[in-house]
Amino acid sequence: MQQIVSMDTFKDFSISNQLHYAIEDLGFEKPTPIQSKAFSVILSGKDVVGIAQTGTGKTFAYMLPLLQELKFSKQIHPRILILVPTRELVLQVAEEIEKFSKYLTIRVVKVYGGANINTQQQEVAQGADIIVATPGRLYDLVLSRSLQLKSIKKLVIDEVDIMLDLGFRFQLTNIFELLPSRRQNIMFSATMTDEVNTLIHDFFTAPSTISIAVSGTPLDNIAQYCYSVSNFYTKANLLVYLLKDKDLFNKVLVFVSNKRSADRLFEVLEEEFGYEIAVIHSNKTQNYRIRSIENFNKGKTRVLVTTDVMSRGLHIDHISHVVNLDTPSFPENYMHRIGRTGRAEQEGTSLLFYTEQEQEAKETIETLMDMKISNLDFPEEVEISTRLTPSEQPKDTEPRSTYKKRDTSLGSGFHEKSEKNKKVNQGGSYRRLIAKKYKKPKTRGDKNYNNRNKKK
Ligand code: AMP
């Protein structure tokens, strides 16, 4: 049995005087909940998954035990690697570390793209204890042999949901392969997504999860209902049907689990409602996203489709409905989503669409809230779609009996490729498809946005 030790003040933390002095200088009176919870778990050396948003004191939550353990050393190769998704975060995290380690002799080196690589190579060559890095530039430094990761004992991945949403999975996997297998993995994420879960499953060993309660969600102000719906496109039909009541559904935030679903849903809704609909996800440019949110805030667009990760930091008031087009498998995400409505004494409504496969996730949410979500009857007028998304298609279980061995009498395998096979794999077929559809590169969300608005 794990012993429960009270960690209400910094005095309860077994940390060095140098760290205590730094905390005093910073004027921190008491640890934040994530700091109290994370300290002994991280110190134990186990793999850790922390669910916490920026502003909760999470940087200090992982740095405090790591700094406590890090002994003075003159060795060149770093022992702690902290990966973050953006250059701004590299600077921010490094700055925080410098504050905490004011009375320690610790070398922190910042590594990020868009800046001179030679300077960073020189800095790294002088020796580092902690590297704070974005994955791409870090990998470049390792490939150019300027940096060795063989001494890394602790890996922290911060804001991992954003990192994966930005498409860094491949870079992360590459980096994992270069790290010693005996290491502690620590990961912080504000939301749990399927991608985050897969990453944990693939690379973490029996991690401990620390989560801080979603506070201040005024559940009393939110009426919660759910519909049992057979598949994605039927969910889309149901949403179209509901959105026709423009007075009732006057400011609607729709959550989907990933960007593909966001694009699929947008396509259906746009056909029906045109400019009243906007979508934001990480493949849209920053400007496009900012403008979409502004327009939604001002009431120019009535419906905003978003993914969990993109909805972070959205400050939108007077939302009439939050629609959960999918049922989050992590109940915390549901709580974050519905907390977008029913704010500041306003009444709000949340709708949850769940398939048979999602029934269990719905029940987990109900257990967390200790209440049942009222079921509404599926409206007879709504068409039940037979169209399935790729992930809903039945899996092909046919044995691969059609595989033929190459006829060796045909000679060498090194022949000229036929014209058809000369095609180079361009990768990202989905992106190309979308780019074709919108007649522009996917990353130029802006252009498309302007054109569409002009037409209307
Ligand atoms: P973070 O969630 O790591 O981005 O931290 C948010 C802010 O809270 C930072 O400016 C920290 O310096 C500050 N902070 C961290 N821990 C504490 C604490 N125990 N008391 C007061 N402020 C804190």
Side-chain angles (χ1 to χ4, degrees):
M1 274 268 289
Q2 200 183 341
Q3 211 186 340
I4 313 253
V5 186
S6 156
M7 303 284 276
D8 297 337
T9 72
F10 282 116
K11 289 204 176 68
D12 302 321
F13 288 54
S14 46
I15 46 172
S16 64
N17 285 339
Q18 285 92 331
L19 284 170
H20 274 302
Y21 297 149
I23 293 170
E24 267 175 40
D25 286 359
L26 284 164
F28 295 173
E29 283 171 11
K30 58 183 177 51
T32 64
I34 194 77
Q35 290 164 1
S36 300
K37 284 194 177 182
F39 186 76
S40 51
V41 187
I42 293 182
L43 211 56
S44 77
K46 282 189 68 171
D47 282 3
V48 177
V49 175
I51 311 289
Q53 290 187 307
T54 305
T56 54
K58 69 182 161 71
T59 316
F60 203 22
Y62 61 74
M63 279 323 300
L64 198 53
L66 295 185
L67 289 175
Q68 170 59 22
E69 262 206 328
L70 191 67
K71 299 287 167 271
F72 173 78
S73 164
K74 282 187 181 163
Q75 77 165 68
I76 298 282
H77 307 308
R79 289 166 288 162
I80 297 178
L81 173 62
I82 301 172
L83 293 173
V84 295
T86 61
R87 165 205 157 109
E88 286 72 25
L89 264 171
V90 170
L91 301 176
Q92 195 181 313
V93 168
E95 195 183 313
E96 291 274 290
I97 299 173
E98 273 150 23
K99 284 190 223 157
F100 310 145
S101 56
K102 192 171 168 189
Y103 299 104
L104 302 166
T105 314
I106 285 191
R107 299 158 299 169
V108 183
V109 172
K110 296 173 275 224
V111 165
Y112 49 85
N116 191 323
I117 193 165
N118 295 333
T119 318
Q120 290 178 5
Q121 274 170 337
Q122 283 161 18
E123 280 174 7
V124 166
Q126 283 169 15
D129 299 300
I130 304 175
I131 299 271
V132 187
T134 49
R137 175 56 66 89
L138 180 91
Y139 197 60
D140 289 346
L141 286 181
V142 177
L143 286 192
S144 66
R145 297 183 189 277
S146 318
L147 174 66
Q148 283 198 27
L149 300 178
K150 63 181 184 187
S151 302
I152 297 291
K153 303 275 186 307
K154 314 274 176 190
L155 168 70
V156 180
I157 318 174
D158 202 353
E159 308 258 334
V160 68
D161 48 354
I162 301 253
M163 206 169 304
L164 293 174
D165 210 47
L166 291 173
F168 283 135
R169 159 93 198 193
F170 182 63
Q171 274 112 323
L172 283 181
T173 314
N174 280 341
I175 293 169
F176 288 156
E177 276 168 15
L178 300 169
L179 294 169
S181 53
R182 271 178 67 91
R183 63 171 196 265
Q184 182 183 17
N185 297 304
I186 300 158
M187 187 182 98
F188 274 84
S189 185
T191 51
M192 274 307 252
T193 62
D194 290 344
E195 275 185 302
V196 174
N197 204 26
T198 309
L199 188 83
I200 297 169
H201 187 260
D202 290 351
F203 296 102
F204 281 47
T205 316
S208 295
T209 304
I210 327 162
S211 168
I212 44 170
V214 183
S215 59
T217 309
L219 283 181
D220 295 345
N221 295 348
I222 307 168
Q224 299 182 54
Y225 302 101
C226 59
Y227 287 96
S228 166
V229 192
S230 53
N231 55 37
F232 180 86
Y233 281 105
T234 309
K235 286 178 175 183
N237 290 348
L238 174 61
L239 186 58
V240 168
Y241 169 81
L242 295 170
L243 290 177
K244 283 183 181 159
D245 187 341
K246 298 192 181 186
D247 291 333
L248 189 62
F249 287 81
N250 55 63
K251 197 169 187 182
V252 185
L253 191 58
V254 184
F255 283 96
V256 288
S257 60
N258 56 55
K259 42 198 165 197
R260 288 176 190 215
S261 302
D263 281 327
R264 275 193 194 106
L265 183 68
F266 179 67
E267 197 180 318
V268 176
L269 297 182
E270 199 199 22
E271 195 169 305
E272 189 69 32
F273 300 105
Y275 66 92
E276 290 181 81
I277 313 290
V279 60
I280 49 167
H281 57 61
S282 56
N283 279 5
K284 300 283 179 196
T285 63
Q286 176 96 354
N287 280 343
Y288 176 90
R289 294 192 310 238
I290 291 172
R291 213 140 12 108
S292 300
I293 294 162
E294 261 176 30
N295 285 346
F296 183 59
N297 242 339
K298 288 184 195 148
K300 283 190 187 168
T301 43
R302 187 163 62 98
V303 180
L304 184 66
V305 178
T306 178
T307 56
D308 287 298
V309 178
M310 271 306 123
S311 77
R312 298 247 307 266
L314 278 189
H315 297 293
I316 302 166
D317 282 327
H318 305 289
I319 289 175
S320 68
H321 292 76
V322 165
V323 176
N324 300 273
L325 204 88
D326 70 306
T327 307
S329 28
F330 299 91
E332 288 91 348
N333 291 1
Y334 177 79
M335 305 303 285
H336 279 301
R337 287 176 177 191
I338 69 166
R340 302 309 179 129
T341 187
R343 284 179 158 191
E345 309 292 308
Q346 307 261 326
E347 303 272 305
T349 304
S350 154
L351 301 177
L352 173 72
F353 297 176
Y354 68 98
T355 60
E356 211 177 316
Q357 289 77 27
E358 292 171 325
Q359 167 105 20
E360 207 180 314
K362 177 181 92 87
E363 284 163 9
T364 312
I365 293 168
E366 291 176 329
T367 310
L368 179 81
M369 295 192 299
D370 197 20
M371 64 170 275
K372 283 258 178 258
I373 306 172
S374 317
N375 240 304
L376 295 177
D377 288 338
F378 188 83
E380 277 176 14
E381 301 91 320
V382 177
E383 190 194 334
I384 298 187
S385 176
T386 49
R387 188 176 168 196
L388 298 176
T389 63
S391 63
E392 287 171 343
Q393 313 264 352
K395 300 276 171 292
D396 181 12
T397 48
E398 287 271 301
R400 292 184 169 212
S401 54
T402 47
Y403 174 72
K404 287 199 190 96
K405 264 195 165 174
R406 201 173 73 85
D407 186 350
T408 43
S409 66
L410 293 174
S412 159
F414 298 96
H415 53 264
E416 264 298 299
K417 280 185 175 177
S418 70
E419 216 38 54
K420 179 173 128 249
N421 290 337
K422 271 184 186 162
K423 269 203 278 174
V424 180
N425 180 3
Q426 296 173 292
S429 61
Y430 171 73
R431 274 181 190 229
R432 271 184 286 119
L433 202 83
I434 290 290
K436 205 169 132 199
K437 176 174 144 33
Y438 291 136
K439 299 181 185 56
K440 47 98 200 167
K442 191 69 189 78
T443 45
R444 300 251 178 96
D446 267 352
K447 258 190 175 176
N448 175 41
Y449 186 93
N450 292 336
N451 292 343
R452 202 172 60 235
N453 274 0
K454 255 186 245 157
K455 264 189 270 160
K456 305 277 161 182

